[in-house]
Amino acid sequence: MDGWLERMRTINISRRGFIRVAAKYLAAGGAAATTGPFIIGCRSAAPTTPSGGQKELVIIYGVPRATMDPQNHINTYDESPLGNIFETLVEMDRTIRPDGWKPKLAVSWRRIDERTVEFKLREGVRFHNGEPFDAEAVKFTIDRFKGRVDPNLKPPHLTYYGILDRAEPVDRYTVRVITSKPDPIIINRMSGFATRIVSPKFYSEHNLAFLQENANGTGPYRLVKWVRDGDMILEANEDYWGGPPEFKRVVIKTVPEASTRVSALLAGDADIVVAVPMDEMDAINRSGRARTENVTSNRMALWYLHPTKPPTNNKLVRQALNYAANIDGLLRTVYRGMGRRVATIVAPWAFGYDPDLKPYPYDPDRARELLRQSRVELPINLTIHHIQGRYTKDKEMAEGIAAELNKLGPQFIRVTTKIYESGYYYSIFNDRAKRFEVFDGIMFASWGNWMFDADLYFFPWVHTASTFTCCPDRKDWDALIEEAQATVDERKRLELYKRLQRELFEEAPFIFAHNVEDIYGVSNRVEWKPRQDEMVWAAEMRVRRS
Amino acid sequence: MAGFLVRRLGQSVLVVLGVLVLVFALMQLTGDPAALMLPDNASPADVEFMRKKLGTDKPLHLQFIRFLFGDRVLGERVEERVVEHQFMSSVVTGRIREHRGVIMGDFGDSVRFVDQPALPIVLERFPLTLYLMAVAFAYSAGLSLVLGIASAVYRNSLLDQLLRALAIIGQSVPNFWLGLMLILVFAVWLGLLPAMGSGSFEHVILPAITLGSAPLGRNVRLVRSCMLDVLGADYIRTARAKGLSELAVVVGHALKNAAIPVVTVWGLDIGLFFGGAVITESIFGWPGMGSLIIQSVYKRDFPVVQAAVFFVALVFVLVNLLVDLLYAWLDPRVRLAH
């Protein structure tokens, strides 16, 4: 037996004596640690490679994938990985802007009339199983989500794609997409979710259960294997029309715990991790092995004000809240200067944005004055209903807004926050009747507009027919929204949205807030800049050459 | 022995029935499940159909009977039909089909994995959790025996004090914290083990240590005190007086008698492992049953949660039944006392 073990075995010591000695050593150890190199970056800073070698890429999400069927989901975290496998006719540029539409499977397009756009298709493209991509595939794709292939498929996004009526092939590589009503945003609709192009043979031969787990697209990667809640494994499509991607194998993993995602990145077990907590950015950037990349996302945070219950059913109260919330100050402090303030509910890069409309300034005096004028009984009592941990700093922003509003003084306002588990929260918030009945005051909401058009803000959040309507009494706005939906003339349409934004600003049915920041952790061996539309596509990544 | 076995089996069946009542109640806690599952613009006919389908239009006791034995027991026939469900913020379509009752292993179809029966989803994930639990058990049980015996044999030595201190630390450190620290030290700082995922034996080491450390701490203390009790007994003195080696005395004579309470606790540890697995699997991204339960709760996938809770309870009951039988084998007094 080793000497030290022998000594430990034979030395007799009372418990009290042991505690005394241990305390002494712990104190000495603590003193040494505070002066010693007790930091993460003490090891060699050489970037490490996941076990599969240079050509393998590991991406970690926080949420698991629900399906491999691109036409049967409405989640960004499914759309993003599926974009490696399936493609669309057109694609938005990495930096979103109204004229940012780029050719993808279509090489060009032109509008025929208010209901029709003609697309010229890329020639010589094949699906992963060898089926050719042509006008028939586009026709089939629309037929499929319209339920004309398998009546059991009822996609969750028909509200937004139902207007696409059919596609008519003109010749093998020319197709006309026809809507049931005049539609200014046909192009936008052909850029994701329901309109990711699927292959006619494969998707008519197999049933929905099979297609939930298998995939056949034209994209730069083909699906090798997907395990529910587990890994999704992709391999490079060497015959890809745009040239084979640099990383030959991509493993998409799920780790719900954010600290573990960051650790995996620092340990070299991952190349890209999504949803990095703001507080861990410095540790990653100090590590020498990875860095953070952030981009102001297309996702918007909003604070929905209860439209019918007092005191938020009073317009002056709602305006006062907008003057007092100090969103700019909170973005500086809580959000570390990231994110982007918006005047209403339209992101600056979306079509329809009014650049002349400035956000509510921070003006607590004006807020107090408005509260006095509102003739509601002061102080008003408000609750902020919110969730935690789903979006960057969601809880901290709720608490920050509460604190800012309370600064108006207890004689004016008393705000408390109430936190919910997000599944439960959305089971109430997403149900119009329950939301109006259960909640009051201020409610957290967020919205990712995947068509980059003002309609996808105004219809869901304002139109009285929508579940999420802010303003069930403003039927007069419905007509404006519907008119904009059917106006193909861009200038006229823009004017309509400007008018809507100004009226919405005045009505203040939300505390207008900001676009959120997407923060990614990226291994130093990978070259990649994140996209604004939350899509993480491996074909856009390169091995970093130093 | 046969009588003991029958009695224990009867008790186990009662426990399982109790669990079924609780699992059934889980569904009732959410209010009207039909309203929960259908989109808010569903037609009254769809709501009516869904209520009828779920049986929520019937008195509670009939609902429970249907839950256990299926639609046929109540003499009802359900034709297959596709309906729309509310699922989080979106609407999904799902098949409505005949409920065959949990007695046939039918907990209904998952909402998240549209149209897939709930129980097979749970069973598919079980092997990975079982693997994790087995390694955690081997680590906690094996090491606790060695360390507990060493602690007892060298009572009051420095080794004993050190082991007892470590045992208390192991027992009191929360496993989510321990998991994150292990990742930081062994994956990020030392680069010895993977930070997350599954696939090789290396992947299971950190999650197993995370899962097994609390039981290890407690079991070291338990083995120590049980051994101390036994080592002071007359027959040990007799064994020593016979001139047996210390190893033969400790392992051959003391251990079996000291093991009785330890084995019972091992059985209870299974429950602790299932509970701990939910957290541990989430931390390490281990795609087992624990992470399935978390995701299903989060997504309000009740059929899967029900199936998983029932399955965990069933395994727990079975393991404890086994432990009791082992107990009876180890200590004849147990079976004679009844």
Side-chain angles (χ1 to χ4, degrees):
Chain A
M1 195 175 281
D2 287 355
W4 62 270
L5 192 55
E6 180 67 24
R7 276 206 302 283
M8 285 193 26
R9 186 167 72 80
T10 47
I11 291 174
N12 252 323
I13 182 168
S14 71
R15 198 165 59 182
R16 217 170 262 176
F18 175 75
I19 290 171
R20 211 166 30 234
V21 174
K24 205 164 80 187
Y25 276 98
L26 272 179
T34 51
T35 53
F38 202 64
I39 47 169
I40 290 179
C42 59
R43 218 174 55 154
S44 123
T48 49
T49 311
S51 48
Q54 275 285 315
K55 295 296 174 190
E56 177 170 305
L57 190 77
V58 178
I59 302 173
I60 307 186
Y61 284 81
V63 185
R65 265 113 304 290
T67 181
M68 291 294 112
D69 189 337
Q71 296 191 296
N72 201 9
H73 73 89
I74 196 160
N75 305 309
T76 313
Y77 50 79
D78 285 324
E79 178 73 356
S80 169
L82 287 174
N84 291 301
I85 305 170
F86 298 93
E87 293 179 300
T88 49
L89 294 190
V90 294
E91 189 176 286
M92 179 45 82
D93 190 49
R94 309 171 51 81
T95 310
I96 303 169
R97 55 185 194 281
D99 62 348
W101 297 108
K102 297 195 312 186
K104 194 80 183 182
L105 285 176
V107 288
S108 65
W109 53 88
R110 66 185 176 107
R111 189 173 272 280
I112 303 289
D113 60 38
E114 290 196 325
R115 293 173 46 214
T116 313
V117 170
E118 186 177 279
F119 292 90
K120 285 272 176 214
L121 303 181
R122 197 173 289 282
E123 297 183 18
V125 176
R126 288 193 173 272
F127 288 97
H128 299 151
N129 69 344
E131 282 183 67
F133 161 75
D134 53 19
E136 283 301 326
V138 178
K139 175 181 184 306
F140 177 84
T141 296
I142 290 181
D143 282 348
R144 182 167 184 261
F145 82 77
K146 295 289 279 188
R148 294 192 281 255
V149 174
D150 182 345
N152 285 339
L153 176 70
K154 291 193 180 163
H157 34 42
L158 278 180
T159 322
Y160 307 105
Y161 294 94
I163 189 171
L164 295 171
D165 184 58
R166 64 188 187 279
E168 287 179 355
V170 176
D171 57 42
R172 190 159 183 209
Y173 292 110
T174 311
V175 66
R176 289 185 173 182
V177 174
I178 299 161
T179 52
S180 52
K181 289 185 288 188
D183 182 20
I185 57 169
I186 297 182
I187 300 295
N188 313 40
R189 291 189 212 279
M190 296 309 291
S191 71
F193 290 90
T195 52
R196 286 203 175 270
I197 306 295
V198 296
S199 66
K201 195 156 162 281
F202 190 84
Y203 281 81
S204 49
E205 272 176 359
H206 298 291
N207 65 19
L208 287 180
F210 178 86
L211 294 171
Q212 201 185 9
E213 297 184 359
N214 295 277
N216 183 42
T218 57
Y221 288 92
R222 67 178 86 230
L223 179 68
V224 177
K225 192 177 154 203
W226 171 56
V227 182
R228 282 191 204 118
D229 287 359
D231 295 354
M232 174 175 167
I233 299 170
L234 306 172
E235 70 177 13
N237 173 11
E238 293 298 332
D239 303 322
Y240 182 56
W241 59 266
E246 191 159 326
F247 289 100
K248 298 304 171 199
R249 194 178 138 91
V250 177
V251 183
I252 297 173
K253 293 173 176 285
T254 307
V255 178
E257 172 58 46
S259 324
T260 311
R261 285 200 296 278
V262 172
S263 295
L265 177 72
L266 295 180
D269 292 338
D271 297 299
I272 307 280
V273 300
V274 306
V276 168
M278 234 172 227
D279 304 327
E280 308 220 16
M281 291 175 75
D282 293 341
I284 293 175
N285 288 322
R286 267 202 319 262
S287 71
R289 299 179 200 177
R291 63 193 185 279
T292 57
E293 296 279 359
N294 55 292
V295 65
T296 304
S297 160
N298 196 39
R299 183 164 294 279
M300 189 179 286
L302 312 161
W303 300 88
Y304 182 98
L305 302 174
H306 200 292
T308 55
K309 284 187 192 170
T312 45
N313 59 352
N314 183 307
K315 184 164 96 178
L316 298 182
V317 171
R318 294 196 300 266
Q319 290 178 345
L321 295 176
N322 270 286
Y323 279 114
N326 194 10
I327 299 292
D328 284 323
L330 291 172
L331 284 181
R332 270 195 306 277
T333 51
V334 176
Y335 237 64
R336 296 173 46 150
M338 293 185 271
R340 175 151 178 179
R341 181 81 198 276
V342 282
T344 60
I345 57 172
V346 180
W349 41 80
F351 178 87
Y353 173 68
D354 181 356
D356 301 326
L357 191 61
K358 299 292 173 227
Y360 276 90
Y362 176 53
D363 189 345
D365 293 333
R366 177 100 180 97
R368 288 188 194 98
E369 194 187 313
L370 284 166
L371 283 179
R372 271 193 221 102
Q373 286 172 13
S374 71
R375 301 198 176 166
V376 296
E377 196 181 326
L378 295 180
I380 56 171
N381 290 298
L382 283 175
T383 306
I384 301 182
H385 304 268
H386 69 99
I387 55 174
Q388 176 181 19
R390 186 158 158 148
Y391 301 107
T392 304
K393 296 278 179 192
D394 42 16
K395 169 174 163 276
E396 289 79 0
M397 285 301 271
E399 288 166 351
I401 289 173
E404 291 292 341
L405 295 178
N406 280 329
K407 279 189 197 164
L408 292 180
Q411 66 275 36
F412 287 98
I413 194 168
R414 286 176 190 154
V415 184
T416 51
T417 60
K418 195 167 174 189
I419 195 162
Y420 299 81
E421 187 271 316
S422 68
Y424 176 72
Y425 182 84
Y426 284 108
S427 74
I428 297 172
F429 189 86
N430 292 347
D431 183 319
R432 179 170 166 155
K434 274 193 211 153
R435 177 174 69 243
F436 286 170
E437 185 195 319
V438 177
F439 288 157
D440 55 11
I442 305 171
M443 293 155 246
F444 171 79
S446 99
W447 188 248
N449 177 341
W450 65 95
M451 288 190 199
F452 323 116
D453 185 272
D455 181 45
L456 235 77
Y457 294 113
F458 277 102
F459 184 80
W461 290 105
V462 180
H463 197 286
T464 59
S466 162
T467 307
F468 300 111
T469 182
C470 62
C471 316
D473 297 331
R474 293 297 303 258
K475 289 216 184 297
D476 55 320
W477 281 345
D478 291 359
L480 282 177
I481 293 169
E482 285 162 24
E483 191 187 337
Q485 276 178 338
T487 302
V488 176
D489 183 323
E490 287 197 354
R491 213 160 352 134
K492 268 197 216 154
R493 207 163 160 256
L494 191 59
E495 284 312 312
L496 284 167
Y497 283 128
K498 282 187 174 177
R499 180 173 159 198
L500 276 166
Q501 280 165 83
R502 281 164 196 278
E503 291 185 21
L504 195 72
F505 184 85
E506 168 75 15
E507 185 77 17
F510 303 91
I511 297 177
F512 301 117
H514 59 94
N515 279 88
V516 304
E517 196 78 3
D518 283 339
I519 305 169
Y520 300 86
V522 182
S523 156
N524 279 348
R525 78 183 189 98
V526 176
E527 199 61 70
W528 180 65
K529 291 279 176 213
R531 302 170 58 94
Q532 264 188 305
D533 57 9
E534 303 175 78
M535 299 293 117
V536 182
W537 290 336
E540 296 185 334
M541 298 167 194
R542 301 272 174 274
V543 176
R544 199 179 214 191
R545 306 182 209 290
S546 45
Chain B
M1 188 71 184
F4 174 73
L5 187 65
V6 169
R7 256 196 317 275
R8 276 301 280 111
L9 268 175
Q11 287 166 355
S12 300
V13 170
L14 275 181
V15 172
V16 170
L17 264 176
V19 169
L20 281 173
V21 172
L22 285 177
V23 167
F24 173 71
L26 194 71
M27 195 66 188
Q28 310 298 316
L29 283 177
T30 58
D32 182 359
L36 189 86
M37 291 171 80
L38 289 169
D40 57 357
N41 59 356
S43 69
D46 266 359
V47 174
E48 192 52 37
F49 179 79
M50 184 67 107
R51 287 214 177 103
K52 199 162 179 325
K53 160 64 201 130
L54 294 171
T56 47
D57 57 339
K58 297 183 185 66
L60 213 55
H61 65 281
L62 288 183
Q63 286 186 42
F64 186 60
I65 290 174
R66 176 186 166 278
F67 172 72
L68 286 185
F69 303 107
D71 288 315
R72 288 196 186 191
V73 171
L74 300 182
E76 299 206 356
R77 290 186 47 133
V78 175
E79 87 274 28
E80 280 211 8
R81 182 170 147 178
V82 172
V83 293
E84 296 184 338
H85 295 256
Q86 179 78 39
F87 172 51
M88 305 302 284
S89 56
S90 54
V91 179
V92 295
T93 41
R95 179 174 49 118
I96 289 285
R97 58 169 176 81
E98 185 190 323
H99 178 62
R100 289 181 294 123
V102 295
I103 219 91
M104 302 295 288
D106 186 358
F107 284 83
D109 292 343
S110 162
V111 185
R112 190 155 66 106
F113 303 110
V114 184
D115 287 354
Q116 313 224 16
L119 193 60
I121 294 178
V122 173
L123 295 180
E124 189 184 292
R125 303 288 283 273
F126 183 58
L128 261 180
T129 300
L130 188 68
Y131 173 48
L132 171 61
M133 282 170 44
V135 178
F137 179 76
Y139 157 73
S140 77
L143 209 56
S144 70
L145 275 185
V146 175
L147 299 183
I149 291 171
S151 204
V153 171
Y154 306 116
R155 186 184 181 182
N156 288 339
S157 69
L158 183 59
L159 180 74
D160 177 32
Q161 301 291 9
L162 207 66
L163 286 175
R164 284 162 71 191
L166 283 177
I168 288 178
I169 292 171
Q171 216 180 334
S172 42
V173 164
N175 62 358
F176 65 87
W177 185 85
L178 180 66
L180 293 177
M181 286 304 118
L182 289 173
I183 291 174
L184 195 64
V185 173
F186 290 98
V188 180
W189 290 358
L190 302 176
L192 291 175
L193 293 165
M196 47 90 233
S198 62
S200 69
F201 183 72
E202 283 184 350
H203 285 96
V204 81
I205 297 175
L206 293 184
I209 293 177
T210 305
L211 192 55
S213 283
L216 172 66
R218 190 194 50 205
N219 291 351
V220 166
R221 285 152 48 98
L222 188 69
V223 170
R224 177 183 182 273
S225 66
C226 292
M227 280 302 281
L228 284 178
D229 277 354
V230 173
L231 285 174
D234 289 345
Y235 65 88
I236 295 294
R237 200 178 326 130
T238 311
R240 286 200 178 113
K242 279 199 302 188
L244 288 178
S245 74
E246 192 60 21
L247 190 70
V249 171
V250 171
V251 177
H253 290 256
L255 189 59
K256 188 180 168 190
N257 288 295
I260 295 168
V262 176
V263 169
T264 310
V265 170
W266 282 352
L268 296 174
D269 279 349
I270 301 297
L272 203 67
F273 282 147
F274 271 118
V278 172
I279 302 203
T280 307
E281 290 185 3
S282 290
I283 294 175
F284 289 93
W286 184 264
M289 236 167 74
S291 52
L292 175 72
I293 290 175
I294 284 249
Q295 288 296 336
S296 304
V297 168
Y298 180 63
K299 298 284 182 190
R300 300 287 183 277
D301 195 349
F302 284 103
V304 173
V305 176
Q306 287 178 312
V309 168
F310 173 73
F311 182 72
V312 167
L314 191 68
V315 171
F316 189 61
V317 166
L318 285 177
V319 168
N320 278 283
L321 180 66
L322 229 100
V323 164
D324 279 3
L325 296 182
L326 194 64
Y327 202 101
W329 170 74
L330 279 170
D331 185 355
R333 284 170 302 182
V334 173
R335 48 183 190 260
L336 294 178
H338 287 278

